[in-house]
Amino acid sequence: MKLINVRYIGKIIGGLLIIESLFMLVPLGVSIFYQETEMRWLSLSVGITLFCGLFLFMLSKPNLLRRIGKRDSYLLVSLAWIVLPLFGAIPFYLSGSIPNLIDAIFESYSGFTTTGSSILNDIESLSKGILFWRSETHWIGGMGIVVLVVALFPLSKNKGAMIFYTETSFFYAEKIRPRIIDTAKRVVFIYVSLTLLETLLLRLGDMNWFDSICHSFATIATGGFSTKNSSIAGYGPYIQYVIMGFMFLSGINFFLYYFLFTGKIKKVFKNQEFRLFSIIIFLSSVFIAVYLILNSGYQIEPALRLSFFQVISVVSCTGFATADYLQWPQPLWMLLFLLMFVGASAGSTGGGIKVLRHLIFLKKFKILFKQLLHPSSVQRIFYNGRPVSEGVIESVSAFVYLYILTFVLGTLFMMILGEDISTSMGAVATSLGGIGPGLGSVGPASNFSQISDLGKVFLPFLMVAGRLELISLFILFVPSFWRR
């Protein structure tokens, strides 16, 4: 087995840090525009990140003729999601906005992984520059650090393809073009276009430009960081409907937009994952709305708006809130908790188990029942008219098992740290799924500030694990991974 290509990995990580420092220039400009004292700390953060990035980039001189393997890809992807959030915490800590280093790191990891869980008790007390950086970490993470690698560091088509498929769930999606770099660029174009469109629509409401941009970053990235203490609850119905719509759009497979833009509209609506994603949201939302109308005295429009908003927010793994669902009747918040395990679509910015895996499981159960009735029959699973290989089915089964096992063990660990079972389950589920609010003391009306320091270190680990679909990170802990 070949040695890990350390120099190549170092060069890419250095390049990513350089890119991160360039992104930091934007909140620095915001801070300068508003004449805030934080501008000097943002300047220092840019300098530190840029220096470290240039140091790694210039120091590493890889042999570009050498092909990288799976081990290099796994390690690169994991290191990217570990290193960049660490540097992303520098502005929070140096500016004094989050004086506790562990809290600053937690907030940064929650941002980059688009989880949206926060330790801040007074968000509105932060400066504009820091608030913008906080929202921008969502946008960077949602786009996908490794997608940036593919689009901006095309050192080799084989390398790019390997990294791209390692980091995402796109291997489930239909191929758009044979060149992965072109595909990545189209994904970025769609991502930016949706962000600009939502920003404009929010500005047409009662949001200013600053809040419109920050909330668009959080929505399209399915992150959930708001610039307001009340999240989206303080805004009127128009803003809530706009954000609701874009949460839905961000939760579907981005490759479907390619078919939409090329006039293949039927292919979008025939996509089985899209249809199941829509059905889950519709049925769950209607059930909650009817329950609120019949048992809690809600009017029809508010009940529908609240139910659809909360369900879409949870299923798309965005995490915005317009209501404290823990104050609803128990069956409703229990349903929302179960929806935390659904996840968004494969190829979206959302996290979780993903609707496609549930779809394959449902098809597997259907075949199982058919074989019980007709033992001699040969049954195969098809997705959008294409047969699904046994290898993919086994991979899906292994992932779901690992996901549930991680949830159970993570919950037990949080309980050992002193958290009650409801808080433990909610914190682990929302961290793994990249959702934001959970249950208990980390519900939508609360935050993670009261979690112990060890818990604030453990939960970001789960955030990264969930963002990387578990295996890409967990494989680093297998001893054979490091053997020649």
Side-chain angles (χ1 to χ4, degrees), residues 378-390:
V378 178
Q379 305 287 339
R380 294 198 66 181
I381 293 178
F382 288 84
Y383 172 65
N384 291 334
R386 296 182 178 181
V388 179
S389 68
E390 287 298 323

Side-chain angles (χ1 to χ4, degrees), residues 256-274:
L256 294 183
Y257 291 109
Y258 177 85
F259 300 128
L260 186 64
F261 295 155
T262 54
K264 301 177 182 178
I265 300 177
K266 290 184 179 180
K267 204 164 188 176
V268 175
F269 290 101
K270 287 183 178 180
N271 182 275
Q272 294 179 339
E273 184 186 29
F274 173 76

Side-chain angles (χ1 to χ4, degrees), residues 86-360:
L86 284 176
F87 280 83
I90 295 176
F92 298 135
Y93 183 68
L94 290 183
S95 66
S97 301
I98 306 179
N100 183 288
L101 181 59
I102 292 179
D103 285 350
I105 292 174
F106 180 95
E107 198 78 8
S108 182
Y109 271 93
S110 182
F112 274 94
T113 59
T114 71
T115 302
S117 302
S118 180
I119 50 81
L120 294 170
N121 293 306
D122 187 8
I123 297 170
E124 295 176 36
S125 66
L126 270 62
S127 67
K128 298 287 188 182
I130 294 299
L131 279 175
F132 195 93
W133 173 242
R134 182 171 176 263
S135 299
E136 194 178 25
T137 59
H138 271 342
W139 200 72
I140 299 169
M143 190 186 305
I145 295 174
V146 179
V147 172
L148 287 175
V149 174
V150 176
L152 302 178
F153 288 83
L155 299 180
S156 165
K157 183 171 71 173
N158 290 332
K159 296 172 183 176
M162 177 67 72
I163 297 167
F164 189 79
Y165 287 120
T166 300
E167 194 271 344
T168 65
S169 298
F170 293 166
F171 57 86
Y172 288 121
E174 296 179 67
K175 292 184 179 179
I176 297 173
R177 291 175 61 90
R179 293 191 58 184
I180 200 66
I181 294 175
D182 290 342
T183 301
K185 289 180 179 179
R186 281 162 173 75
V187 170
V188 173
F189 173 77
I190 294 169
Y191 190 79
V192 173
S193 299
L194 288 174
T195 304
L196 293 175
L197 180 58
E198 185 187 1
T199 299
L200 178 60
L201 291 176
L202 290 177
R203 183 64 186 91
L204 293 175
D206 55 353
M207 269 192 188
N208 57 39
W209 280 114
F210 178 82
D211 288 338
S212 297
I213 295 172
C214 289
H215 283 93
S216 294
F217 282 172
T219 306
I220 303 303
T222 61
F225 277 161
S226 175
T227 57
K228 303 297 181 182
N229 291 328
S230 59
S231 187
I232 311 301
Y235 292 100
Y238 170 79
I239 295 295
Q240 294 180 16
Y241 279 121
V242 170
I243 289 180
M244 189 191 311
F246 279 91
M247 286 193 298
F248 179 85
L249 293 176
S250 301
I252 65 178
N253 192 322
F254 270 46
F255 282 117
L256 294 183
Y257 291 109
Y258 177 85
F259 300 128
L260 186 64
F261 295 155
T262 54
K264 301 177 182 178
I265 300 177
K266 290 184 179 180
K267 204 164 188 176
V268 175
F269 290 101
K270 287 183 178 180
N271 182 275
Q272 294 179 339
E273 184 186 29
F274 173 76
R275 290 162 64 179
L276 181 59
F277 178 76
S278 303
I279 290 172
I280 291 173
I281 289 176
F282 180 78
L283 293 180
S284 300
S285 300
V286 170
F287 173 81
I288 291 176
V290 171
Y291 199 106
L292 290 175
I293 293 170
L294 297 179
N295 297 281
S296 300
Y298 279 75
Q299 296 298 314
I300 295 177
E301 190 279 330
L304 287 171
R305 173 160 43 88
L306 288 173
S307 61
F308 269 91
F309 192 100
Q310 263 57 237
V311 169
I312 294 175
S313 181
V314 170
V315 175
S316 68
C317 304
T318 305
F320 280 136
T322 56
D324 182 3
Y325 53 73
L326 293 182
Q327 301 303 315
W328 289 353
Q330 188 178 32
L332 301 188
W333 62 257
M334 287 184 66
L335 172 60
L336 288 172
F337 176 68
L338 292 176
L339 290 176
M340 292 182 183
F341 292 89
V342 173
S345 302
S348 72
T349 58
I353 293 177
K354 300 291 173 63
V355 174
L356 182 54
R357 292 190 175 98
H358 291 288
L359 178 62
I360 292 177

Side-chain angles (χ1 to χ4, degrees), residues 366-379:
K366 183 179 179 180
I367 286 179
L368 177 63
F369 292 139
K370 284 184 177 181
Q371 288 178 333
L372 290 175
L373 296 174
H374 308 285
S376 59
S377 64
V378 178
Q379 305 287 339

